[in-house]
C-alpha cells in the first residue's frame, strides 16, 4: 500500500470532501423542506394532497436515485430544465431524500397518541394550536434519530453525483486513479474521509437526541 | 318553544359510527351545581355521550345545549371551529388515561391553555398554576415532568389543568379506572372537594360507592339507551328495571 502517495494527494481529497459536505448540507436542507411538505400533504384533510404526497413518496423511493439524477441532469434539457451538475445533484438528491424524510416525519407525527391532541382540543385549543404546541414538540423529539438515519443515507448517496461529474470525493478518487493507477489507495482514502464525515454527523445527531429528551 | 333554562340539556342525542348506532335517542338535563353519574356496562355508550357534550365525538342527531347556547350548532367550518373552541374553554374534561402533556412540567401543563387562550402573562399563569396544583395537592411536584409522577398524581395534575380554564362544567370519563387501587382515593378526594364547591359535574364511573356518595343523580345506560335514572338511593337500592338489577348485582358483589 502506497501510503506516501495517499499523503501526497490527501489535500486534494480534503478539498473534494468539502464539496461532499456542502452537497450533503444543501441536500439535507432541501430534503427536510420537501419532507415537511410531503408529510403535511400526506396528513392533509384533502384527498388530492394526500394523493400527491403518496405519489411523491412512491416514485422517489421506488426508483433508483441514480436514474432520478440522470433524468434530471441528462433528460432535463430536453424539457427545458438547464442545470449544472452541482445544482442537479443537490436538487435530485434533495427531492429523493425528501421522500424518505416524508415518511420519517409522518411516522413520528402519527405515533403520538391521539389523546394528546384531544386533551388540547378539550381545553379549547384549535386544531393547529394543538398540533404545534402538543403533537409537534413530541413528534419532533421522536424524529431526531430516524432523521439521523436519513442523513446518514443521504451523505452516502452524494457519491452518486460522481456519475454526473460533480467534483466531490468519489469523482476525485476516480480522477486520481486515472493518473496513479492505484484504485485501492484512492478509494480507501475517499472511504476514510466519508467515514469521518459520517461519524461526526452521527455524533452530532446523538448529541441532539440526548439534548431534546426529557428526563 | 321548548324550555332552554336547563344548564346542560341533551335532546334526543343520536350517534352512529358507520352502521353501529351507539346512542339511541338520549335526553338528559343537568342543572347548575348538580352532579350526575353515568354507569353501565362497557360499550354501552357512556364515553360517547360524554364526548358528545364537548363535541369530541359529534352527534349524528339531536342537540346539546350548555348554559343557553347550543354546542353542536350548524355553522360553516371556520365559524364552527371558533365557536366550539370557545365552548370548550368552559367545559373541563378528565380522561381515563390522563393525557397529560409529557413534554411539559406539571406547571406548564396547567399554564399552557390559559396563556394561549386567555392571554395571561407568565406571572399570572404561574400564580394560577400554583393555586390549582395546591388545590389538588400537587404543589410540591410543580416542576415535575409527568413521567416522574404516579398515576394518581398525574390524574390530579390533569384535573388542575382542566380547572385552570375556570370551567362551568367538568366531565370525568372513568378518571380512576386506570389507577392502582391504592391511588383511587386521592383522586376521588379531589373530586369530592369539587363537589363541595358545587362544581357541575358529569361523571362516568365504575365505582358505585363513590357515585352513591357524591352524586345527586345516577343514569344507568345499556346499549345506547338510558335504562334507568334517579337519585342514587333509588337506582342503587331499589332499581325498577331488570337490566339495572343484573348490572348492579355483578358490580356491587365485587365492591363489598
Ligand atoms: N371512534 C369510534 N369508531 C367506531 N366505534 C366506536 C368509536 N368509539 C366508540 N365506538 C363504539 O361505540 C360503542 C360505545 O363505546 P363507548 O361510548 O366508548 O362505551 P363505554 O364508554 O360505555 O364503554 C362501542 O361499541 C365502541 O366500540
Ligand atoms: Mg368508556
Amino acid at each position: 500500500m502506497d501510503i506516501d502517495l495517499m499523503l501526497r494527494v490527501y489535500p486534494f481529497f480534503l478539498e473534494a470532501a468539502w464539496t461532499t459536505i456542502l452537497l450533503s448540507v444543501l441536500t439535507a436542507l432541501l430534503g427536510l423542506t420537501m419532507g415537511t411538505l410531503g408529510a403535511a400533504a400526506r396528513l392533509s384533510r384533502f384527498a388530492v394532497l394526500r394523493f400527491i404526497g403518496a405519489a411523491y413518496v412512491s416514485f422517489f423511493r421506488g426508483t433508483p436515485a441514480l436514474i432520478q439524477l440522470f433524468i434530471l441532469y441528462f433528460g432535463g434539457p430536453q424539457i427545458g430544465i438547464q442545470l449544472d451538475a452541482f445544482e442537479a445533484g443537490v436538487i435530485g438528491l434533495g427531492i429523493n431524500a425528501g421522500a424518505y424524510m416524508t415518511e420519517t416525519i409522518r411516522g413520528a407525527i402519527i405515533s403520538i397518541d391521539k389523546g394528546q391532541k384531544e386533551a388540547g382540543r378539550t381545553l379549547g385549543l384549535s386544531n393547529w394550536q394543538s398540533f404545534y404546541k402538543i403533537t409537534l414538540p413530541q413528534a419532533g423529539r421522536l424524529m431526531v434519530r430516524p432523521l439521523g438515519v436519513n442523513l446518514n443515507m443521504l451523505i452516502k448517496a452524494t457519491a452518486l453525483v460522481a456519475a454526473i461529474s460533480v467534483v466531490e470525493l468519489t469523482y476525485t478518487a476516480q480522477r486520481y486513479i486515472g493518473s496513479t493507477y492505484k484504485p485501492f489507495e484512492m478509494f480507501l482514502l475517499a472511504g476514510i474521509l466519508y467515514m469521518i464525515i459520517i461519524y461526526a454527523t452521527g455524533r452530532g445527531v446523538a448529541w441532539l437526541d440526548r439534548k431534546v429528551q426529557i428526563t | 318553544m321548548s324550555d332552554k333554562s336547563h344548564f346542560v340539556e341533551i335532546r334526543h342525542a343520536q350517534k352512529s359510527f358507520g352502521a353501529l348506532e351507539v346512542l339511541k335517542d338520549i335526553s338528559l338535563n343537568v342543572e347548575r351545581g348538580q352532579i350526575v353519574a353515568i354507569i353501565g356496562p362497557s360499550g354501552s355508550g357512556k364515553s360517547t355521550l360524554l364526548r358528545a357534550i364537548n363535541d369530541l365525538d359529534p352527534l349524528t342527531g339531536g342537540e346539546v345545549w350548555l348554559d343557553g347556547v347550543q354546542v353542536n350548532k350548524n355553522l360553516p367550518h371556520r365559524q364552527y371551529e371558533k365557536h366550539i373552541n370557545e365552548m370548550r374553554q368552559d367545559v373541563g374534561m378528565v380522561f381515563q388515561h390522563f393525557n397529560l402533556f409529557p413534554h411539559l412540567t406539571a406547571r406548564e401543563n396547567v399554564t399552557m391553555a390559559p396563556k394561549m387562550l386567555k392571554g395571561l402573562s407568565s406571572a399570572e399563569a404561574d400564580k394560577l398554576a400554583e393555586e390549582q396544583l395546591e388545590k389538588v395537592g400537587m404543589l410540591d411536584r410543580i416542576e415535575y415532568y409527568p413521567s416522574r409522577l404516579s398515576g394518581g398524581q398525574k390524574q390530579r395534575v390533569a384535573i388542575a389543568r382542566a380547572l385552570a380554564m375556570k370551567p362551568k362544567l367538568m366531565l370525568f370519563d372513568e378518571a380512576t379506572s386506570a389507577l392502582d387501587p391504592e391511588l383511587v382515593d386521592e383522586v376521588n378526594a379531589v373530586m369530592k372537594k369539587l363537589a363541595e364547591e358545587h362544581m357541575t359535574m358529569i361523571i362516568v364511573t365504575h365505582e358505585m360507592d363513590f357515585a352513591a356518595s357524591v352524586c345527586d343523580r345516577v343514569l344507568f345506560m345499556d346499549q345506547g339507551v338510558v335504562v334507568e335514572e334517579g337519585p342514587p338511593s333509588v337506582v342503587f337500592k331499589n332499581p325498577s328495571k331488570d337490566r339495572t338489577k343484573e348490572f348492579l348485582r355483578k358490580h356491587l358483589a365485587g365492591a363489598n
Side-chain angles (χ1 to χ4, degrees), chain B residues 2-3 6-15 21-31 34 36-38 45 49-50 52-53 59 61-65 72 202 217-222 224-230:
Chain B
S2 57
D3 174 20
H6 301 292
F7 185 56
V8 179
E9 191 170 339
I10 298 173
R11 294 188 203 153
H12 306 294
Q14 191 277 344
K15 171 74 177 178
E21 192 177 28
V22 174
L23 300 179
K24 301 166 188 161
D25 192 21
I26 293 188
S27 293
L28 164 69
N29 299 327
V30 181
E31 306 310 331
Q34 265 194 347
V36 175
I38 303 175
L49 179 62
L50 203 65
I53 295 172
L59 290 176
E63 297 178 359
V64 179
W65 291 74
N72 60 340
I202 303 177
R217 203 141 51 95
V218 180
L219 256 72
F220 171 64
M221 275 180 73
D222 193 15
V225 296
V226 176
V227 175
E228 188 155 1
E229 171 179 2

Side-chain angles (χ1 to χ4, degrees), chain A residues 13 16 20 156 158-163 166-175 177 187 190 194:
Chain A
F13 275 66
T20 290
K156 289 184 287 197
T158 61
L160 294 173
V161 301
V166 177
V167 188
E168 42 65 78
L169 258 179
T170 302
Y171 187 84
T172 301
Q174 285 169 344
R175 202 160 65 177
I177 291 161
F187 281 136
Y194 275 118

Side-chain angles (χ1 to χ4, degrees), chain A residues 173-182:
Chain A
Q174 285 169 344
R175 202 160 65 177
Y176 277 86
I177 291 161
S179 52
T180 62
Y181 305 103
K182 298 272 173 134

Side-chain angles (χ1 to χ4, degrees), chain A residues 69-186:
Chain A
L69 282 174
F70 284 170
I71 291 175
L72 184 63
Y73 185 63
F74 297 118
Q78 239 178 291
I79 54 166
I81 301 172
Q82 295 282 355
L83 296 168
D84 69 31
F86 187 84
E87 289 164 356
V90 168
I91 293 171
L93 292 176
I95 292 175
N96 177 272
Y100 288 90
M101 290 181 176
T102 292
E103 289 305 274
T104 302
I105 294 169
R106 171 176 168 272
I109 289 170
I110 63 177
S111 74
I112 303 301
D113 178 29
K114 85 178 194 342
Q116 288 291 309
K117 177 185 159 184
E118 278 184 355
R121 295 305 309 265
T122 301
L123 290 164
L125 269 60
S126 69
N127 216 6
W128 172 245
Q129 286 172 325
S130 322
F131 176 73
Y132 85 82
K133 287 295 249 192
I134 299 167
T135 306
L136 191 58
Q138 295 179 52
R141 290 174 166 88
L142 291 181
M143 272 174 221
V144 174
R145 270 176 187 282
L147 281 176
V149 175
N150 293 147
L151 186 59
N152 170 300
M153 308 272 281
L154 157 175
I155 295 169
K156 289 184 287 197
T158 61
L160 294 173
V161 301
I164 57 171
S165 44
V166 177
V167 188
E168 42 65 78
L169 258 179
T170 302
Y171 187 84
T172 301
Q174 285 169 344
R175 202 160 65 177
Y176 277 86
I177 291 161
S179 52
T180 62
Y181 305 103
K182 298 272 173 134
F184 182 78
E185 284 83 349
M186 297 303 102

